[in-house]
Amino acid sequence: MSRSAHPAGPRHADVLPEGHYSAPPADLNALDPKVWAQTVERDADGVVTVGGMAVTRLAEEYGTPAYVLDEADFRARARAWRTAFGTDADVFYAGKAFLSRAVVRWLDEEGLNLDVCSGGELATALSAGMPADRIAFHGNNKSPEEIERAVRAGVGRIVLDSFQEIVRVAHIAQSLGVRQRVQIRITVGVEAHTHEFIATAHEDQKFGIPLAGGQAAEAVRRALQLDGLEVIGIHSHIGSQIFDMSGFEVAAHRVVGLLKDIRDEHGVELPEIDLGGGLGIAYTSDDDPREPHEIAKALTEIVTRECEGARLRTPRISVEPGRAIVGPTAFTLYEVGTVKPLDGLRTYVSVDGGMSDNIRTALYDAEYSVALVSRASDAESMLARVVGKHCESGDIVVKDAFLPGDLAPGDLIAVPATGAYCRSMASNYNHVLRPPVVAVRDGEARVIVRRETEEDLLRLDVG
Ligand SMILES: *Cc1c(COP(=O)(O)O)cnc(C)c1O
């Protein structure tokens, strides 16, 4: 297990034992509900449908590759988080996982708040009508222009990431005659991925202000003295794709310890704590994520217990799931272009996309599942690797895949759980055009982000 290869902050790595891959599934036509969006099923003809639409029809109408998003599933997951945390807590969807104006409207309608971490994300949120006071602005190097825009827009909180930023935001807010609500992001010396976490005194990473050495306490001390700032709480984000709650337990213990020190020194009890995001989802049948209600119960209990121990009023909790809401709701639909058996090794299946629409496999060694979706097949399974069309041998979408041995050019295959960090991290490598996002609901499909065109590409190239 690699415990240190992934930088902190927006961490999406799945870390699995070396040489790990599952045995072939008993039935290659089966669709594990753990990894597929809620309304996905295989119809009587063997064609996979989502929201009542056949993937063959989606491919005809919208082309491939395409991200296909199950709107009902997105809304259900957003609502489940909202309901699980209730009215005494806030759920901020982490926009970096996937952001579009349609998604912002769904979040608004389902009562969630929104995290943004750039001017572009802020612009998207505001243009879709998300009330500014439900937006949190993140980032370790927000530009003065971004800060000014966020303050002018009236964002509900800015999460401060450094000593310099404390002064910078205070100065901008004061010059605009505003007292900006802020949280201070600290690093508590906990790094969590999947089934493990490590607790250390120091965290060697770019985000936040270390608790170690009294730095976080000093940051709060300074922020409390500045007229432009209203310090509403402490923020901690410990990792990504986490299944094990014990990392949050250590983090909450340390955050509450700081709240207590602040109370003892300054006589103020900060009213909020944010425990970040990072909750895991199932990319393959081996993953066992927790339900939002279990997570809410565990986090609430941990914070309540810690606060009772420290004789503090329990602060309002917020969480920031990104992947756990949008990840499972989409799959990427590809057309098979070539099938190349390599004797004694495996079969390379080339699709019409690749690392430009899903960089996670190359970047994090992420594991994915894949299925033939345009028809059912009774053929024997073959060990395959699904690769893209880029000029790069690391252009792998699914490293170890079992697919039917009769797979042929023209078949449609789909990779589930690509809702998070795929479209949002997509690139134009090899001048490949980024796929559309097609939202499906109740038998109707609608493009929410259109496919890029060569015109789009050439528009930026001024010659
Ligand atoms: C990336 C990030 C999140 C969301 O992480 P997920 O793994 O998508 O849940 C939440 N909060 C902060 C501060 C982040 O950087």
Side-chain angles (χ1 to χ4, degrees), residues 389-461:
K389 59 180 287 162
H390 295 278
C391 295
E392 156 97 35
S393 54
D395 172 25
I396 295 168
V397 181
V398 188
K399 205 160 134 204
D400 298 305
F402 290 99
L403 282 163
D406 63 350
L407 194 77
D411 279 333
L412 298 176
I413 62 175
V415 175
T418 58
Y421 305 108
C422 287
R423 181 59 180 78
S424 68
M425 294 179 111
S427 78
N428 283 124
Y429 183 41
N430 293 138
H431 286 202
V432 165
L433 305 168
R434 285 178 292 184
V437 181
V438 180
V440 183
R441 186 187 180 188
D442 298 334
E444 277 178 45
R446 167 168 81 99
V447 174
I448 60 170
V449 179
R450 73 161 166 79
R451 184 183 301 284
E452 241 172 358
T453 62
E454 283 178 8
E455 228 169 59
D456 291 331
L457 276 186
L458 291 171
R459 199 172 320 150
L460 299 180
D461 181 339

Side-chain angles (χ1 to χ4, degrees), residues 194-372:
T194 310
H195 298 290
E196 292 195 39
F197 79 96
I198 44 172
T200 62
H202 294 276
E203 255 203 302
D204 189 1
Q205 57 140 311
K206 72 170 185 171
F207 290 106
I209 299 172
L211 189 60
Q215 291 195 65
E218 175 60 21
V220 174
R221 192 173 301 131
R222 290 195 200 170
L224 284 171
Q225 288 166 359
L226 294 167
D227 290 337
L229 306 181
E230 179 188 348
V231 183
I232 60 165
I234 301 296
H235 183 285
S236 154
H237 173 73
I238 57 171
S240 258
Q241 187 60 4
I242 304 166
F243 296 130
D244 177 357
M245 301 302 288
S246 46
F248 287 103
E249 197 149 351
V250 176
H253 174 75
R254 293 182 178 177
V255 170
V256 171
L258 177 62
L259 291 181
K260 182 172 176 292
D261 292 347
I262 294 165
R263 193 252 338 257
D264 293 348
E265 187 183 344
H266 306 282
V268 264
E269 292 196 23
L270 296 183
E272 299 197 22
I273 70 172
D274 189 309
L275 293 172
L279 288 313
I281 63 164
Y283 285 103
T284 74
S285 298
D286 295 337
D287 296 326
D288 272 311
R290 292 175 176 237
E291 296 293 324
H293 67 89
E294 295 175 87
I295 295 162
K297 186 163 175 286
L299 292 182
T300 310
E301 280 175 9
I302 292 167
V303 172
T304 307
R305 193 180 60 229
E306 290 295 332
C307 287
E308 275 168 8
R311 296 171 176 275
L312 284 166
R313 271 191 301 276
T314 304
R316 190 174 176 87
I317 299 172
S318 49
V319 288
E320 306 175 312
R323 182 197 321 265
I325 291 176
V326 71
T329 68
F331 58 81
T332 315
L333 186 60
Y334 298 104
E335 185 177 305
V336 173
T338 69
V339 178
K340 188 187 286 182
L342 296 185
D343 283 346
L345 293 169
R346 66 175 77 240
T347 299
Y348 277 78
V349 174
S350 297
V351 295
D352 46 359
M355 65 194 299
S356 54
D357 60 67
N358 187 348
I359 191 66
R360 292 189 66 259
T361 306
L363 194 56
Y364 307 119
D365 244 339
E367 297 228 331
Y368 281 96
S369 323
V370 60
L372 169 60

Side-chain angles (χ1 to χ4, degrees), residues 86-99:
T87 48
D88 294 334
D90 298 299
V91 181
F92 286 77
Y93 169 78
K96 69 180 198 231
F98 171 64
L99 196 64

